[in-house]
Amino acid sequence: MPPWRKVTCTPFASPCPTPLACRRNGDRFSCQFLAAGDVGGPGDACGVTDDAGCAPGLVCLPGALVPDCTNDNCCAPVCDTTDADPCIAPASCLPIIESPAPGFDTIGACFVPA
């Protein structure tokens, strides 16, 4: 694994140096390079692998879970599951990592549960 992928971060207070951004990486978030097309906003189409197509602060989820998504997959904002829910109904701030590493268990995203 490249050394920069070992640097963990949170999407709320990213310590990643430019041109890296805090992105999902298995059971945690780590500093990763963005691709030229990683600029999508909430509800924009994306590719599930490594949250491709989403801007920093967003993750790619199945479209059926993202309100108003008309694609197979769409970007959704990340959120902290312990803070007041910032999501727009019918979405809620829900966990996105099934078995998170310690310290990453409160990172969620705005989506409608299946």
Side-chain angles (χ1 to χ4, degrees):
M1 177 181 294
W4 50 267
R5 283 192 66 120
K6 294 179 184 175
V7 176
T8 59
C9 58
T10 71
F12 313 116
S14 179
C16 300
T18 302
L20 304 177
C22 190
R23 306 289 280 205
R24 259 191 310 187
N25 184 14
D27 65 350
R28 67 194 68 227
F29 278 69
S30 67
C31 295
Q32 300 176 39
F33 284 101
L34 293 175
D38 291 344
V39 296
D44 288 346
C46 57
V48 175
T49 306
D50 294 329
D51 298 322
C54 297
L58 296 129
V59 293
C60 190
L61 298 174
L65 303 178
V66 180
D68 301 322
C69 177
T70 58
N71 298 290
D72 290 341
N73 304 298
C74 285
C75 300
V78 294
C79 54
D80 186 326
T81 61
T82 62
D83 287 346
D85 193 337
C87 305
I88 299 170
S92 297
C93 184
L94 301 167
I96 53 171
I97 301 175
E98 190 171 319
S99 297
F104 294 89
D105 51 339
T106 65
I107 298 174
C110 296
F111 65 96
V112 179

